[in-house]
């Protein structure tokens, strides 16, 4: 008898669905992590002077990065650390959560959050005011989540919940680009007109998914 049929007949349907959702979310997490790392490497390439190979005239993402080199590097280097260490904050090894990288991850997160909060007021976002408001709003949410995870460091369950909220929002930047690609492919929307909306969609979607994940794993995390 196939496993799925056996579990449904023996009352394990809910368990099977939960585990399937978890696997899907983990697959999405690793995919977005890869996208996030590639975005950082692309920006480093632009900063190194290879913008003519990496920036399309039709989609001028990150075209102004070299005008603000210090601020850009302050944002993207911790961003790379965040992307690389993020998934491992939620893996278990012999039921012990990683602690060695937690401090580095949280410091990197604070740098990302503060720089993301100030960048829209300095770099003039491609998506205009809409992008600036979305970026600032979720940067504040991100910083609040990181702070609350730190305050609950002696309460593992609550720390895990707030850390996951922060991580989900931080990872959302990797979802914004696919949203932009789909919006152009199907509706012909350009970054200048839709990037701000893509920020709201991507970050809100991640915040919602984080709450779903928390509710599916709350008992296991405690």
């Amino acid at each position: 008898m196939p496993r799925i049929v056996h579990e449904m007949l023996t009352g394990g349907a809910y368990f099977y669905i939960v585990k399937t959702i978890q696997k899907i979310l983990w697959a999405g997490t690793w995919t977005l992590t890869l996208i996030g790392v590639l975005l950082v490497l692309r920006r480093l390439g632009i900063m190194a002077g290879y913008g003519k190979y990496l920036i399309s005239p039709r989609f001028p993402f990150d075209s102004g990065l070299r005008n603000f080199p210090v601020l850009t590097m302050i944002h993207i280097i911790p961003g790379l650390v965040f992307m690389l260490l993020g998934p491992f904050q939620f893996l278990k090894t012999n039921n012990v959560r990683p602690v060695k990288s937690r401090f580095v991850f949280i410091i990197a997160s604070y740098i990302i959050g503060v720089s993301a909060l100030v960048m829209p007021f300095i770099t003039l976002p491609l998506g205009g005011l809409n992008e600036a408001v979305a970026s600032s709003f979720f940067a504040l949410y991100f910083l609040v989540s990181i702070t609350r995870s730190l305050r609950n460091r002696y309460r593992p369950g609550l720390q895990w919940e707030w850390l996951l909220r922060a991580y989900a929002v931080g990872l959302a930047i990797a979802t914004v680009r696919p949203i932009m690609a789909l919006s152009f492919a199907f509706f012909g929307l350009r970054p200048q007109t839709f990037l701000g909306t893509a920020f709201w969609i991507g970050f809100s979607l991640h915040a919602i998914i984080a709450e779903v994940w928390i509710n599916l794993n709350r008992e296991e995390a405690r």
Side-chain angles (χ1 to χ4, degrees):
M1 180 181 297
R3 179 182 176 185
I4 183 173
V5 175
H6 174 74
E7 289 187 349
M8 291 181 70
L9 292 176
T10 57
Y14 175 77
F15 174 81
Y16 177 83
I17 292 171
V18 168
K19 290 300 180 182
T20 300
I21 292 174
Q22 289 175 341
K23 290 178 182 179
I24 293 172
L25 291 176
W26 268 115
T29 297
W30 289 113
T31 301
L32 292 175
T33 298
L34 177 60
I35 294 173
V37 170
L38 292 176
L39 287 174
V40 173
L41 295 178
R42 175 180 177 273
R43 291 181 173 184
L44 288 173
I46 293 172
M47 296 299 295
Y50 296 99
K52 63 180 180 180
Y53 304 110
L54 298 170
I55 299 175
S56 168
R58 299 180 66 188
F59 307 101
F61 290 112
D62 304 325
S63 57
L65 290 182
R66 297 193 71 189
N67 297 327
F68 308 93
V70 175
L71 181 58
T72 298
M73 296 303 289
I74 288 174
H75 186 66
I76 66 175
I77 296 301
L80 181 60
V81 174
F82 178 90
M83 289 293 176
L84 293 174
L85 294 183
F88 299 99
Q89 306 308 307
F90 306 98
L91 292 175
K92 284 185 177 181
T93 303
N94 297 325
N95 293 323
V96 177
R97 296 193 181 278
V99 293
K100 293 182 179 179
S101 65
R102 181 66 53 84
F103 177 76
V104 177
F105 178 78
I106 288 178
I107 293 298
S109 297
Y110 271 116
I111 297 173
I112 294 168
V114 173
S115 58
L117 192 60
V118 302
M119 285 181 76
F121 302 98
I122 298 174
T123 61
L124 302 178
L126 181 64
L129 180 62
N130 194 17
E131 179 187 343
V133 173
S135 179
S136 298
F137 175 83
F138 284 104
L140 285 171
Y141 178 85
F142 179 84
L143 289 170
V144 168
S145 297
I146 282 292
T147 301
R148 296 202 65 171
S149 75
L150 194 59
R151 290 181 62 184
N152 286 287
R153 60 189 178 277
Y154 299 118
R155 304 172 69 183
L158 285 175
Q159 183 191 39
W160 173 83
E161 290 184 17
W162 285 105
L163 198 66
L164 180 57
R165 291 183 177 104
Y167 175 63
V169 169
L171 190 62
I173 191 63
T175 297
V176 172
R177 295 305 171 84
I179 291 174
M180 282 303 310
L182 291 173
S183 69
F184 178 79
F186 289 99
F187 305 105
L189 298 173
R190 295 187 173 277
Q192 295 88 337
T193 58
F194 190 70
L195 185 56
T197 303
F199 264 68
W200 285 108
I201 294 173
F203 283 93
S204 298
L205 181 63
H206 274 240
I208 293 170
I209 291 175
E211 297 304 320
V212 172
W213 193 316
I214 286 168
N215 280 279
L216 290 177
N217 293 275
R218 179 171 277 129
E219 293 302 322
E220 182 180 349
R222 295 188 184 281

